[in-house]
Amino acid sequence: EFETEWMLEAAEGWRHHRSTLPALRGNGFRRVAEQSLDPRKLTAAMIAAVRAAGIELLENTRVKSARVDEDGVTLITPKGTGSAGTLLDCTGAWSAAPVHPAKGQMLRVHAPGVLSAGQLGNVVVRTPDVYMVPRRDGSVVIGATVEDAGFDRSVHEADLLHLHAEAAELLPALADAPMLDSWAGLRPDTPDHLPLLGRRGPRAAVAAGHFRNGILLAPATARVMAQLLQNQQPEVDLASFDPARFAAI
């Protein structure tokens, strides 16, 4: 389910209406109708939906090799061999070049009610330096760094403290909020920060490189890639996302 319906986004030339979130410090916030959900709940729901549809899902299974020829695609995994008509690379930060990981550290604190905006419910707050996303369980996610650190997923106390302090500058009630957990994710980035959506041959395609907008763009990506793989004209022009634009890299 959606956990929030509104966001306050830092924007030059806008006034912050104190009635929305009286405790928020600073000026220049605009209110945007934008929903958010919990990625952890979404992941569980997606796995359940895939299995309910009768699709075979091999979790935590490495593709050792993929052979593409005129007859189709053969995949070799530790659990056996599989075949398909088309191989779609949608492996996030692990996709083929020029996709590369952009590390992001974040933390979650216990702060019920801090981002409550009355009749609007909980609201997300986002600035160029930090964002705060409230969850229904009373926690608040604070993020996030953007680092060129390869596939390193370690978290560092100094970075977490900095994020926490940035959030507390905007909402002082967060200063004493106890930390519940912390983690680092790997965003799939590209040199121009735009996705790769398209074919890489008659039997190979890619849907990767969504950087910080993977969940936001996932439904649209699934729709246009399904159209593409069925040899239909995608309803969105994919020219700007053509993987061939990086052919020289």
Side-chain angles (χ1 to χ4, degrees):
E1 65 274 8
F2 291 119
E3 303 221 346
T4 63
E5 301 282 346
W6 295 92
M7 173 184 65
L8 291 175
E9 180 180 52
E12 254 184 79
W14 287 71
R15 285 182 55 202
H16 168 44
H17 296 284
R18 298 287 170 192
S19 59
T20 303
L21 198 63
L24 182 62
R25 289 182 173 179
N27 296 311
F29 286 89
R30 63 180 175 182
R31 194 171 74 191
V32 181
E34 181 177 285
Q35 298 158 322
S36 73
L37 46 73
D38 187 334
R40 296 178 182 183
K41 293 180 182 178
L42 175 66
T43 300
M46 287 292 292
I47 291 172
V50 166
R51 288 185 168 142
I55 297 169
E56 184 179 8
L57 179 65
L58 302 179
E59 294 185 84
N60 303 309
T61 302
R62 183 171 63 91
V63 176
K64 297 170 69 175
S65 66
R67 186 175 69 248
V68 181
D69 56 36
E70 60 183 18
D71 296 324
V73 180
T74 302
L75 296 175
I76 308 298
T77 79
K79 296 180 180 179
T81 301
S83 60
T86 304
L87 174 66
L88 175 60
D89 174 7
C90 50
T91 53
W94 289 263
S95 290
V99 176
H100 59 276
K103 177 182 175 181
Q105 298 181 62
M106 58 201 79
L107 66 151
R108 189 168 63 97
V109 300
H110 182 64
V114 170
L115 286 159
S116 175
Q119 292 184 342
L120 296 179
N122 286 336
V123 297
V124 174
V125 173
R126 184 167 68 198
T127 76
D129 300 315
V130 67
Y131 60 77
M132 291 152 278
V133 183
R135 300 292 187 218
R136 290 189 175 181
D137 63 1
S139 65
V140 175
V141 175
I142 302 173
T145 64
V146 181
E147 306 169 50
D148 183 7
F151 290 93
D152 171 43
R153 297 185 69 173
S154 59
V155 295
H156 304 285
E157 184 179 9
D159 295 321
L160 300 178
L161 289 174
H162 177 74
L163 286 171
H164 199 165
E166 290 273 355
E169 276 289 313
L170 295 167
L171 286 167
L174 289 173
D176 298 322
M179 186 170 72
L180 299 173
D181 62 350
S182 60
W183 64 96
L186 300 176
R187 311 178 188 90
D189 197 9
T190 66
D192 61 6
H193 305 309
L194 293 177
L196 302 178
L197 301 173
R199 289 194 177 274
R200 276 184 158 162
R203 294 190 177 276
V206 61
H210 291 68
F211 194 32
R212 303 182 75 168
N213 296 303
I215 288 178
L216 290 172
L217 296 175
T221 296
R223 186 176 177 94
V224 297
M225 292 306 296
Q227 292 166 346
L228 186 74
L229 296 180
Q230 294 177 90
N231 297 314
Q232 300 171 5
Q233 180 66 37
E235 60 193 271
V236 174
D237 184 2
L238 301 182
S240 297
F241 315 119
D242 189 343
R245 71 188 190 274
F246 296 121
I249 295 179

